[in-house]
Amino acid sequence: MSAVEVGNRGRSGPGSARGVYAKAGVLPVFEKQRQRFFWLLLAPVLAILGVVTLLPTLYLLITSFTPLNLANPATAWDFSDPLVNYRTLLTDDRLHNSLWVQAKLSLVTVVLQLLFGLGIALLLNVRTPLMNALRTSFLVPMVLPPIVVAIIWKVLYSPDISPAWWLFQVLGWNIQTPITNAAWALSAIVVADTWEWFPFTMLIILAALAMMPEEQREAAVVDGASTWQLTWYITLPYLKQTLMVAGLFRLIDSIKTFPLIYILTDGGPGSVTEVSNYYIFVQSFSFSYIGYSSAVTMVLLAMIVVLSWVIVRAVSGGSNGDQ
Amino acid sequence: MNGVRIEGVKKAYGAVNVIHGVSIDIEDGEFVTLVGPSGCGKSTLLRMIAGLETISDGTINIAGRVVNDVPPKDRDIAMVFQNYALYPHMTVAENMGFSLKLQKTDKAKIKSAVDGAAEILDLTKLLDRYPKQLSGGQRQRVAMGRAIVRDPEVFLFDEPLSNLDAKLRVQMRSEIKGLHQRLKTTTVYVTHDQIEAMTMADKIVVMRDGKVEQVGKPLDLYDRPANLFVAGFIGSPSMNFIPAEWTNGKVVTQGGIELPSASSAGGAIGNRKIVYGIRPEHMTIAASGIPATVSIVEPTGAETVLLLKVGETSVTAVVKDRTTAKPGDRIFLQFQPGAEHMFDAAGGARLS
Amino acid sequence: MNSSKTGSNKTAVDTAVSAGVFRRDVLRVALAGSAMAAMGLRAPAVLAQTKQFSGTTLRIAAFQHIFHTYIQKLLPEFEEQTGMKVEFDLQAFPVYNQRMDLELSTHGSSYDVCNITHSFSGRWISAGWMTPFNDFLSDPNKTAADFNPDDFVSGTQVAYYNDKKELHGFAWEAGAMMMAASRFDILDKQGIAMPTTLAELTEVCKATHNKSGVSAFVVDRLHHWNFPPYLMGFGGKVFRDPPKDLMPVLDSPEAIEAATYYANLLSNYCPPGVLSYTDDQAMRNQLAGRANLRINAMSWLLPLAKSDDSKVKDTVRFALMPAGPKGSFPACNANAYGIPAGSKQKDAAWAFIQWATSKKTFEKTALEMGGLATPRRSIIEDPRYKQALTINGQDIAAMYLDVLERSGRDGYMAYRTVPVWPQAGEKINKAIERIASGQADAATSMKSAQAEAIEDIKKAGVKL
C-alpha cells in the first residue's frame, strides 16, 4: 500500500489536511515521512503477530485440506481430495452433538454468570471496609488455576470423599452424583463453570456501578423509589451496555471450556458433555487425526468470528452518543 | 405550622462538625435562598431537609411534622439538582412522570399531571425527546417539571443554574421566579451567586462555615449588613472597606484622611479601630471631598467603574455619568450621606 | 574398578572389553553402529572397562510408576559404572501417552529411552517410531550372555513384536488380571465362596451388595481395559481376526450380551458415581473397605494386602477371574522400555535397558523393594517371590504366572496391540458409559459403537 493510496483514502474527510492534498494525488513530504514512520513502528508488532497467529492459522487451514494422520506419514500434504474432511464433518453426528452441547453450555453459563455477577455486584456496591474485604474474597474462584477449580469440583462431586455428600448422608438424602448421570452431567459442569467465572462479570459490573452518577440515584430516591425500584428502573438500564460487553466476553470464553470437562466427565457419560473443542482435542491428540480436526477447528473459528461480529454490532449500535 | 422549621440543626461527619447549630424559619409559600461561599454548608443543609443526609442533632419540621427519621419520599418534597439528574434512558414525559409511576398512579392521571407541568414550562413539544437531545436550559426545565409533577409541600433547588451560561442564567432566573409567583410553593434555593439570591428571594440566609451569618429580606441585608462578611458578600461590586480609627467623634484613616460619618452613631462607639464601609454605587465624583487617585477606568456603557486609591487603600466607585477621568488623575469623591457603614475592626460586628 | 564383579554378572560393557581378542570384529560392527560406542571401543581394553559412556546424558520418558522410583534408587551404581547420567521425565499416565505420541510422530531425539505403553504398542511400533532390538541382541558385544530374553514370560513380550517378528521393547512391569475381594468375611458369613463363573459372580454380588455398608463390586472407568475379557468370555471379539482383519465386531449378539452383563454390574452392584472413578479412586474404595470385589491387574489388587493404607489386610482374598460361558480370558498387559527411532544415543539407551530389565535388577526391585508385578519367570519362580506373594494362605504367584502364560499362549490379547486400538477402545468406553448411564440400551449403544469404530478405523487409512 503506497503512501499515495493511503493518502487518497483520506479524501473521505472534507477539510482534513490529507483530503485537501489528496485531491492532487500527491502528499506533502512530511505526511509521507509520518506514514513511513508509523509503518516502521508497527512493523515489528505486525511481524510477531503474523508469525504467532497468522502463520499457524494458515497452516491449520492448509492441513484441513489433507487427511493428515500423524501415525501415517503418507497422509501429509496429500491434496488429492481437498474437501474430504469438510464432507465428513457434514455427516459427523458426534460433531453435531458437540455443537449442540456447546450451545447449551454457552447459553446457560453466560446467563447464569451475568445474573450472579449482577446480583452480587449490586449487593457489594457499598463502600465500607467490610465490603471491600468481602469483595476480594469473592474474586478467589476466578483467580485459582482452572485445573485446581476442576479438581475441587471433582472432589465435591465424588460421593465417597465429598463434604457435600457427607452432609447429604447426615440429612438422610440419597442423591446420585450428577457427573455420571446423563441428565445432570452438563448441569454439574454449568454449576462449576458459573462458580469459577461469575467474579469476572461481577468485577466488570462493579466498575460500571462505581462510575454511575450519584445524582441519578438520589433523584430517584427523592422521587420515591424503593431499593428494588431503584435497581429495576435506574441501575439496570444504566448497566445495559456493560452487561452486553461482559456477556460477550463470557460467551467467547465459554467456547474454550476445557479443564472442567477433562477432569469431571471426560466428555461423558457417553457424549453428553462433549463440547466442540473437546471433540477436537480427542480427534487431534488421542487419534492424531490432525487433518480432520483442523477442518473442524476452521469451521468453529468461522462461527466464532461471525458470532462476535454480530454481537459487537448489536452492542455498538446501542451506544449512539453520550448519555 | 406550615412551611419549614429548622431548629438547632447540627451535622458532623465523624469527629468533624460541618454545621454548628443552625435555626431558620421558613414561612409557608416563602422563597428562601441559602447563600454563601463554597464549603459553608448550604448544600449539606439542603440535603438534610431533603433527607439525603442524616441529621446529627436538632430537628427539621416540614408542614408541621418532624421529619428527622422520615425517608425522602415521604417528606413531601421535590428536588432540582445542579446536574439536572435526568434519567437518560427515559423520555422527557417518562422522566417527569416517574414518581407517579412509582406510586402506581394510573396512566391517565400521570399523563394529565405531566401535560400540566409541561405546559407551565413550555415543554409540550419536547415530551418525547430523550435528555441527550435537549439543551442545558431545556434539561433544567425538565428537572423542574419533574419536581412540579410531584406537587410537593416544598421545592428544593441545589444550585440549579450553575451549569448554564450567563445569558441563559438570567433568563432562567426570571422563569423560576415566575414559577414561584404562580405556584406559590415554599421554596428553598441554594446558590453561591448573591445576585440570584437578591433577585429571587423573599428572604436570604447568609451562611459561612456552617453557621448562619444573617437572615433577612434582600434589601435589609443590603442596607444593614450585620457584619463585615455579609457586607462584603452582598452587593456587586462589593462594598469598599477602608481601615480607620474612630477618635473623638471622627473617622480618620491611617493616612490622615477624614471620612464622613453620621454623628448620631458617635456615642455608642467609643475610641477604637474600625472598618469603614461604603458601597461603590454610593460614591460620586465632585469638585471637592475625599481625595483619590484614579488607577483604572472601566466603562460598561450604562455606568463607569473606577478603580481608585484613597490613601493606601484601593477603592471601587460606580458612577452613572460619563466621566473624562483618566488613570493617574487626582479627583475628589463625595459619599452619599448616611450610606456609610462602620464595623468593629476586631470581630467585624456592625457598629452603626 | 570392576574387580569386585563376579563373572556371571558381566554387562555389555564388560563383555565387549574383556573380549579383546575380537577387537577387529568389534570394530567392524562398531563402525556400523553408533559413533559413541565406536569411540569407546577403540580405546585400549584396560581403560575402556569403566565409564564407557562418560559424558552422555540419557533422557528417559515414562509415566509415573513406583518402578521408576526403584530404578532411580539403584541408578548411582549404574551411573558410576557407565559414566552416563540418567534423567527421568515422568508424567501422569494419560498425559504421558498423548505427549509421547506426539513426540514420537516427529521422530525427535529428545528422549533416548521411553516407555512403550501397552495399548499404544501396535500404533507406535507399526508406524516405525521405535527402534528394533535385533542388532543389539545378536551382537554379543552389546548384549550380555546372561541377559536371557527368553526369561520374560511370553504374555509380557507379545505386544512388542512387529509383524516381521522384530522385538522393540523389554518389559519392566506386567499386568495380569485377577479378582480380589477386600471383605471376604462378608461372603464367608453367608457361606459363599469366591465365584468361578460370571453367572456366579452376579449371584454373589446380589447376595452381598450393601451388606455392612459395602458395595459388592467396583470398577474404574477404563472400560476399554476392563470390558474385553467379559466380551471374550461371552464369545464376542473386538476385531474379527487381528492383526490382519481389523473389522470390528462390536455389534454381535455376544457383544451385546456381554455389554448388558457388564453394565448391569456397574449400575446395580457398584458404589454411587462409579462411572466417574479413576483407577486410583476404585483402589482407594477397596482399600478403605467400602467396596468388595474388583477385577483388575494384580498391581492394583496387591496393595489391599501390602499397603499401609489398607484397612482390609486380614480379609482380602484372591481368585482367578471368573470364566464366561465361552471361557476365561483375563487381560494381560505389560509396559516396556523401548528406544525411540530418532534417538542419537542408542547404544547408551540399550545399555540402560539391559541393566534395568536384567535379572539382577529385578531381584532388587521385586524381592527387596516390593515391585512384585515383574515379567521375568526366574524371579516369579524364586522361593522368595512365592513367599512374598502368599497372602492369607493363597499362592498368588501361581495365579499371576498362569495368566501371563495363558495370554501369551492363546494370543487373545492381540486386539490390544493393533495400530487402531486407541480408536476402537474409545468407542467401547463411550458405549459402556451410555448403557450404564441409561442413555441407550445395550443393542443400540453397541451398534453405534460399531458404526463409529468402522468410520474412525477407515479414517486411519485401514482397509476393512
Side-chain angles (χ1 to χ4, degrees), chain B residues 17-318:
Chain B
N17 290 336
V18 292
I19 303 215
H20 311 275
V22 165
S23 298
I24 307 173
D25 277 346
I26 302 172
E27 305 300 329
D28 188 20
E30 236 186 345
F31 192 116
V32 170
T33 331
L34 301 179
V35 78
S38 300
C40 67
K42 55 194 191 293
S43 281
T44 312
L45 189 60
L46 189 78
R47 288 163 64 86
M48 284 200 281
I49 302 175
L52 295 171
E53 300 274 0
T54 53
I55 302 168
S56 305
D57 202 3
T59 56
I60 295 186
N61 241 288
I62 298 182
R65 57 182 184 132
V66 174
V67 296
N68 283 32
D69 297 315
V70 177
K73 63 177 170 157
D74 297 325
R75 292 194 186 196
D76 206 10
I77 49 113
M79 189 147 165
V80 178
F81 293 84
Q82 182 175 357
N83 292 320
Y84 327 128
L86 299 181
Y87 310 123
H89 54 281
M90 298 186 195
T91 61
V92 166
E94 287 166 354
N95 259 285
M96 288 175 33
F98 186 59
S99 58
L100 294 180
K101 178 169 158 184
L102 289 174
Q103 292 162 14
K104 305 210 191 312
T105 321
D106 71 71
K107 290 216 173 84
K109 283 213 189 73
I110 297 182
K111 185 162 162 43
S112 72
V114 168
D115 285 343
E119 225 204 284
I120 298 176
L121 293 165
D122 195 21
L123 289 172
T124 323
K125 290 205 186 60
L126 303 174
L127 281 175
D128 290 322
R129 300 263 186 97
Y130 283 91
K132 60 179 177 251
Q133 297 167 306
L134 303 176
S135 70
Q138 289 167 332
R139 289 187 204 178
Q140 195 52 278
R141 271 194 248 132
V142 175
M144 291 198 287
R146 194 168 57 180
I148 293 174
V149 162
R150 291 177 55 95
D151 193 20
E153 191 62 40
V154 187
F155 278 138
L156 303 171
F157 286 86
D158 190 356
E159 304 204 42
L161 305 183
S162 307
N163 287 2
L164 303 177
D165 64 73
K167 265 212 160 63
L168 202 48
R169 216 180 292 172
V170 171
Q171 185 191 331
M172 292 298 293
R173 246 170 34 203
S174 14
E175 281 195 32
I176 296 179
K177 183 105 173 138
L179 200 65
H180 177 254
Q181 276 167 356
R182 186 166 161 178
L183 298 178
K184 303 218 191 329
T185 315
T186 316
T187 306
V188 182
Y189 188 103
V190 163
T191 178
H192 62 272
D193 184 338
Q194 53 93 35
I195 293 185
E196 273 177 38
M198 291 288 288
T199 56
M200 296 165 77
D202 294 329
K203 185 153 78 189
I204 300 182
V205 176
V206 180
M207 288 181 68
R208 179 168 68 141
D209 289 340
K211 292 201 194 68
V212 173
E213 294 285 341
Q214 188 172 0
V215 179
K217 294 210 191 49
L219 289 177
D220 288 344
L221 263 61
Y222 179 87
D223 291 333
R224 293 187 65 76
N227 56 37
L228 258 182
F229 174 75
V230 178
F233 192 81
I234 301 286
S236 181
S238 43
M239 185 189 289
N240 296 300
F241 293 131
I242 307 171
E245 240 186 77
W246 176 271
T247 18
N248 305 325
K250 287 190 198 226
V251 179
V252 181
T253 70
Q254 277 153 355
I257 306 169
E258 191 188 326
L259 302 171
S261 61
S263 49
S264 57
I269 295 178
N271 290 359
R272 62 170 94 200
K273 279 197 165 42
I274 62 163
V275 177
Y276 184 93
I278 180 79
R279 293 200 183 272
E281 52 271 25
H282 294 155
M283 297 162 141
T284 46
I285 302 177
S288 63
I290 298 145
T293 320
V294 178
S295 302
I296 298 177
V297 180
E298 296 173 355
T300 65
E303 336 163 292
T304 312
V305 179
L306 296 146
L307 266 71
L308 311 154
K309 261 214 154 32
V310 172
E312 290 300 312
T313 321
S314 295
V315 150
T316 312
V318 173

Side-chain angles (χ1 to χ4, degrees), chain C residues 370-413:
Chain C
L372 290 163
T374 192
R376 275 186 181 266
R377 178 187 299 273
S378 56
I379 307 282
I380 299 172
E381 290 177 337
D382 190 309
R384 289 173 287 174
Y385 188 85
K386 268 215 185 328
Q387 191 186 17
L389 273 183
T390 304
I391 297 171
N392 291 343
Q394 288 182 295
D395 183 358
I396 314 301
M399 285 187 218
Y400 179 65
L401 190 57
D402 178 9
V403 174
L404 291 181
E405 283 180 331
R406 201 192 305 186
S407 66
R409 187 183 59 224
D410 302 342
Y412 53 78
M413 292 302 294

Side-chain angles (χ1 to χ4, degrees), chain C residues 50-63:
Chain C
T50 57
K51 304 211 184 285
Q52 181 188 14
F53 295 105
S54 176
T56 312
T57 305
L58 198 72
R59 267 177 278 269
I60 307 181
F63 62 88

Side-chain angles (χ1 to χ4, degrees), chain A residues 94 154 160 269-270 288-289, chain C residues 123 285 426 430 433 439 456:
Chain A
R94 194 164 161 189
K154 169 101 173 132
D160 46 333
S288 302
Y289 291 148
Chain C
R123 188 176 152 76
N285 244 262
E426 199 240 0
K430 295 284 176 196
E433 276 181 2
Q439 287 176 69
D456 255 7

Side-chain angles (χ1 to χ4, degrees), chain C residues 282-299:
Chain C
M283 183 178 78
R284 297 270 153 212
N285 244 262
Q286 260 194 318
L287 279 181
R290 285 197 296 262
N292 205 339
L293 290 164
R294 187 178 180 199
I295 299 177
N296 212 318
M298 187 181 76
S299 39

